[in-house]
Amino acid sequence: MEVEVKQRVEELRKLLQQASYAYYVLDSPMMEDAVYDQLYRELQDLETQYPQLITPDSPTQRVGEKPATQFTSVRHNIPLYSLENAFNLEELKVWEQRWQRQAPNPGKAEYVCELKIDGSAIALTYENGILVRGVTRGDGVTGEDITQNIKTIRSIPLRLNVETLNLMSLPERVEVRGEAFLPLEVFNQINVERQKAGESLFANPRNAAAGTLRQLDPRVVDKRKLDFFAYTLHISAMDDISRDVKFKVSTQWEALELLQKMGFKVNPNKKVCSDLPEVSQYYEYWDTERLNLAYMTDGVVVKLNSFALQAQLGFTQKFPRWAVALKYPAEEAPTRVENIAINVGRTGALTPLAEMRPVQLAGTTVSRATLHNSDRIAELDIRIGDTVIVRKAGEIIPEVVRVLVELRPDNTTPFIMPTHCPVCGQKVVKERDEAVIRCVNPACAAILKGSIEHWVSRDAVDIRGMGEKLVQQLVDKEMVGSVADLYNLTVEQLCKMERMGEKSAKKIVDAIALSKNQPWSRVLYGVGIRHVGSVTAQMLTDKFKSVEELAEAKVTDIEGIYGIGAEIADSVYQWFRVSENQTLISRLRDAGLQLALTEETETVSSENQKLAGKTFVVTGTLPTLKRDEAKNLIKKAGGKVTDSVSKKTDYLVVGEDAGSKLVKAQKLGITQLSEAQLLEMLQ
């Protein structure tokens, strides 16, 4: 048994070290914080049980691993959607057939092909021709404001080229999207310098670009010579100055030409293709020719050229229907299937997972891969003991590509999906037109566990400290039967959990209380309506200002929102027709959750003026709150928040790694508060 434990400890250490490298050195996280915390806790538990396995290089022996928040999170003016991936020409044909079915009168359509640059997506905002903001992609709804670093990139104009356009002025707002990247020559030189200095090397140009953009010192960014290609343009005030012929762009190709005139670099290898065979030729040509480029590219972006057709097709929850990323073959590796497990998710879907001998793939260790559903298992004819080829779909999700049948051991048997839920034992169902098998028992512990984990996640109500193990204990001990039960938990109850002291229990109860301040969009995302992601939840709450408005909305009202289709609209409508969900909303309202849209600038009620007339500055990394969260709490209590310390500052809220603001506050004799003291003032 100890041999198996030792192997697991070594696996955990290796994985956690890789995750720390990706996060701290490359600034390109390979896993969510919650996943890291879960693996870290597992390693801690094993080392507690087997102290003889502790080594000096274990992540648990490191001091000061806590990450720092360095940039302000801001909301994008226009959401940044991801692109759907196609991994071969057959999948490209399927994409074309799909959009043709969805377009009212598709006719013959042109495509614009652009090389997919392997860098970091950036959103730029120009007001009256001047660059005012540069933001990372983030989750597509919000990103990090890195304007000062953006200004060091020479290929990004600080001022749009009015002279070239022969105009007296420009539209009030211009939004430009593009890719910041490191040329290969620069990337190689950076790694040479890092090696000489004894520093860790960057894994690839994409991670190096992302890490460079998040440097605190713009001088470092400037030295690394990032480059930029623009590929998307949004112009405001379409009824005014944009009536000028110079701004009448009706196609993607015209938009790229206009971007060039405005002063941006666009990829010179773009091409208009009249049909899919011509797109295929372009793709196949660059499959080999890309090796001669001065930068990395991992595929081709194919867009419908006509903006009118793009507008007709709109968006799914995640992707524009009018564009696709045709990727070049991903890195693949062989490994052996040791087991096929079944995971039951929060929607009840039974997902088969191949548990494999760990293998290195695209810079990470992979030991599990999704098998999607029973249809995929049948197609692969995958069995325990098989040698398989694994790749990362979209370089993110590991998947089994094919089985090497010639290496199959004797006496293997086909895998059969279970007829009953492996968690609750209830019979599973397979709905018509769906490949997924589901458990439909609302009392299933796996569904409950999944729904709570989703609710407490960072993109939902963000309850810090509520990890997977604690959720599992709460469900197993029947202390929670829905997410609403979390708001009844007490310190005394949590102290009964494994390895839970009073101090930790109090932090979790405080974090649960703080989650009541999360906005209506996050609450809607958190309740877990099928097909509703964080972007869709934001779109819904922008339209329907309260839960009552959304609950009373018709399918046609919901479907009328740009970017929301019939499937999502019907899912939202049906969710509010279920009595259990109505009860949940009622309980969340009673618990004090935000179920309506509130403006930050609205007048704070007289009952919540505890900080009225006081000016605050927040600096450093706080223990549980993000800086923006602390600022919002202060504003809601009537306080004023500024970014600089002065004689007018009443309080400085101080976290770890506080810098010059703390020094100045000390010189001026300004009162300093910890996060705990701030929360005490707010209570």
Side-chain angles (χ1 to χ4, degrees):
M1 177 64 183
E2 188 171 321
V3 174
E4 294 179 5
V5 172
K6 185 177 181 181
Q7 290 176 344
R8 180 57 180 160
V9 166
E10 291 173 351
E11 290 172 359
L12 287 169
R13 283 180 190 149
K14 189 174 182 180
L15 185 57
L16 290 170
Q17 286 162 357
Q18 288 174 336
S20 292
Y21 174 77
Y23 192 99
Y24 296 106
V25 179
L26 304 180
D27 261 321
S28 178
M30 58 183 272
M31 63 177 66
E32 296 293 330
D33 288 353
V35 177
Y36 183 97
D37 292 343
Q38 174 192 342
L39 295 174
Y40 190 95
R41 177 64 66 84
E42 182 182 353
L43 178 59
Q44 271 186 323
D45 293 344
L46 289 174
E47 289 182 345
T48 300
Q49 295 176 47
Y50 301 90
Q52 67 273 23
L53 298 180
I54 297 176
T55 59
D57 64 339
S58 174
T60 62
Q61 305 303 300
R62 184 190 295 274
V63 177
E65 280 199 323
K66 187 172 181 179
T69 301
Q70 298 148 341
F71 295 97
T72 303
S73 179
V74 295
R75 185 174 175 183
H76 289 296
N77 297 319
I78 302 170
L80 274 75
Y81 283 82
S82 302
L83 287 177
E84 182 180 3
N85 288 325
F87 292 98
N88 52 56
L89 295 175
E90 286 302 315
E91 291 183 5
L92 181 66
K93 290 178 184 176
V94 171
W95 169 77
E96 181 185 61
Q97 292 166 358
R98 184 165 62 248
W99 78 251
Q100 286 177 340
R101 288 195 303 270
Q102 293 165 337
N105 299 295
K108 185 172 176 59
E110 288 183 331
Y111 298 101
V112 171
C113 292
E114 303 166 59
L115 293 180
K116 187 176 183 297
I117 309 303
D118 205 12
S120 187
I122 299 297
L124 306 174
T125 301
Y126 289 80
E127 291 181 356
N128 299 313
I130 305 299
L131 176 64
V132 296
R133 195 172 80 164
V135 183
T136 63
R137 184 189 182 280
D139 62 5
V141 177
T142 60
E144 290 181 315
D145 189 330
I146 55 169
T147 306
Q148 293 307 310
N149 287 348
I150 288 296
K151 289 181 177 179
T152 68
I153 303 176
R154 300 294 196 268
S155 48
I156 293 179
L158 301 181
R159 176 179 176 271
L160 297 181
N161 201 334
V162 179
E163 290 75 19
T164 301
L165 294 167
N166 193 24
L167 288 173
M168 295 298 294
S169 62
L170 286 164
E172 180 180 347
R173 175 179 288 171
V174 173
E175 293 277 332
V176 176
R177 305 286 164 77
E179 200 83 4
F181 65 94
L182 274 177
L184 288 173
E185 183 179 357
V186 177
F187 167 73
N188 292 331
Q189 184 59 39
I190 289 172
N191 268 349
V192 168
E193 293 173 359
R194 292 176 72 87
Q195 188 172 28
K196 288 180 180 177
E199 298 174 336
S200 301
L201 303 184
F202 285 120
N204 54 56
R206 180 181 63 248
N207 290 342
T212 298
L213 286 169
R214 299 187 72 252
Q215 288 287 325
L216 289 178
D217 188 348
R219 291 172 297 182
V220 175
V221 185
D222 185 38
K223 186 179 177 182
R224 290 187 181 173
K225 299 177 183 177
L226 283 166
D227 209 339
F228 180 82
F229 283 136
Y231 54 68
T232 300
L233 174 65
H234 298 280
I235 301 175
S236 67
M238 295 302 292
D239 292 331
D240 301 315
I241 190 170
S242 53
R243 284 178 177 169
D244 190 292
V245 67
K246 300 174 186 64
F247 290 99
K248 283 188 176 179
V249 289
S250 59
T251 66
Q252 170 66 9
W253 189 261
E254 291 173 355
L256 291 173
E257 290 181 325
L258 181 55
L259 282 166
Q260 282 184 294
K261 291 178 182 177
M262 286 179 167
F264 292 95
K265 285 178 65 174
V266 300
N267 193 280
N269 300 305
K270 60 188 184 300
K271 184 179 181 181
V272 176
C273 297
S274 59
D275 53 27
L276 220 55
E278 196 172 346
V279 172
S280 301
Q281 290 175 6
Y282 178 93
Y283 171 76
E284 290 170 346
Y285 173 80
W286 285 108
D287 189 12
T288 54
E289 202 60 30
R290 63 193 172 109
L291 301 177
N292 298 320
L293 292 170
Y295 46 83
M296 291 286 289
T297 176
D298 58 352
V300 172
V301 176
V302 184
K303 301 176 183 175
L304 285 166
N305 195 21
S306 167
F307 282 169
L309 189 51
Q310 289 184 14
Q312 286 180 15
L313 291 169
F315 301 81
T316 67
Q317 179 184 331
K318 295 182 179 179
F319 314 118
R321 294 189 176 93
W322 41 265
V324 68
L326 180 57
K327 302 294 285 290
Y328 290 116
E331 182 183 335
E332 299 180 347
T335 186
R336 186 167 63 86
V337 178
E338 297 179 337
N339 187 37
I340 297 178
I342 299 294
N343 179 64
V344 183
R346 64 181 177 86
T347 65
L350 272 64
T351 303
L353 297 169
E355 296 180 344
M356 309 167 297
R357 181 175 293 167
V359 62
Q360 281 288 317
L361 194 63
T364 60
T365 301
V366 173
S367 59
R368 304 180 85 191
T370 179
L371 297 173
H372 300 291
N373 51 51
S374 57
D375 290 353
R376 181 60 175 161
I377 285 182
E379 180 185 348
L380 290 170
D381 185 27
I382 189 169
R383 307 179 184 188
I384 296 172
D386 275 342
T387 298
V388 297
I389 300 298
V390 185
R391 75 173 177 193
K392 280 195 171 182
E395 299 185 3
I396 298 175
I397 304 171
E399 68 174 2
V400 174
V401 180
R402 60 187 179 276
V403 175
L404 302 180
V405 180
E406 61 273 17
L407 300 180
R408 174 172 286 166
D410 296 333
N411 303 319
T412 62
T413 58
F415 181 82
I416 300 174
M417 288 290 287
T419 58
H420 291 74
C421 175
V423 177
C424 69
Q426 292 285 329
K427 191 172 182 179
V428 296
V429 299
K430 185 176 181 181
E431 297 180 10
R432 188 173 59 182
D433 301 328
E434 273 200 355
V436 177
I437 295 172
R438 294 184 188 278
C439 172
V440 293
N441 174 19
C444 177
I447 296 175
L448 175 59
K449 177 175 173 288
S451 66
I452 294 175
E453 288 176 353
H454 176 72
W455 174 262
V456 305
S457 66
R458 177 172 293 182
D459 290 339
V461 300
D462 193 16
I463 300 179
R464 305 291 178 89
M466 186 70 71
E468 185 177 352
K469 283 193 173 182
L470 178 56
V471 172
Q472 184 69 63
Q473 288 184 66
L474 292 171
V475 172
D476 289 346
K477 295 179 182 296
E478 298 183 354
M479 294 177 65
V480 293
S482 81
V483 298
D485 291 332
L486 295 174
Y487 296 90
N488 297 326
L489 291 174
T490 64
V491 172
E492 292 73 22
Q493 288 175 310
L494 290 174
C495 282
K496 297 176 182 177
M497 301 294 103
E498 294 178 14
R499 298 180 180 83
M500 181 68 69
E502 184 176 350
K503 186 176 179 181
S504 298
K506 188 177 185 307
K507 281 186 177 180
I508 291 173
V509 170
D510 289 343
I512 292 172
L514 279 174
S515 72
K516 297 178 184 181
N517 297 316
Q518 294 290 5
W520 160 218
S521 60
R522 286 195 173 211
V523 175
L524 180 61
Y525 172 65
V527 296
I529 302 175
R530 199 169 166 202
H531 305 307
V532 175
S534 56
V535 175
T536 303
Q538 186 67 61
M539 295 163 66
L540 287 166
T541 55
D542 285 345
K543 170 70 174 177
F544 302 104
K545 308 301 183 185
S546 69
V547 70
E548 289 80 13
E549 286 186 27
L550 183 55
E552 294 170 4
K554 299 177 182 178
V555 173
T556 52
D557 297 331
I558 302 170
E559 195 176 349
I561 300 173
Y562 181 70
I564 291 183
E567 187 176 26
I568 297 174
D570 184 66
S571 178
V572 173
Y573 178 82
Q574 295 299 338
W575 191 90
F576 280 100
R577 309 276 86 74
V578 177
S579 60
E580 288 88 347
N581 296 334
Q582 295 168 4
T583 301
L584 173 61
I585 292 296
S586 178
R587 292 188 62 197
L588 292 176
R589 182 188 291 106
D590 293 341
L593 274 294
Q594 303 294 319
L595 298 174
L597 193 64
T598 57
E599 297 293 338
E600 284 189 9
T601 55
E602 69 182 353
T603 303
V604 184
S605 69
S606 58
E607 296 177 358
N608 191 23
Q609 290 283 328
K610 296 180 180 179
L611 304 183
K614 302 298 182 182
T615 300
F616 291 75
V617 174
V618 182
T619 185
T621 304
L622 302 179
T624 65
L625 292 174
K626 297 177 184 175
R627 227 181 286 185
D628 284 348
E629 292 171 340
K631 291 178 180 179
N632 287 335
L633 288 174
I634 293 167
K635 291 175 184 177
K636 287 179 181 178
K640 179 182 177 182
V641 180
T642 62
D643 291 327
S644 58
V645 175
S646 70
K647 292 180 180 179
K648 295 181 180 180
T649 304
D650 295 296
Y651 297 100
L652 179 72
V653 182
V654 184
E656 289 184 11
D657 302 323
S660 59
K661 292 178 183 179
L662 175 59
V663 175
K664 188 172 182 179
Q666 289 170 337
K667 289 181 180 178
L668 294 173
I670 292 167
T671 303
Q672 298 163 35
L673 299 176
S674 65
E675 178 188 290
Q677 290 170 323
L678 172 64
L679 294 176
E680 188 175 343
M681 289 177 70
L682 291 167
Q683 286 178 355

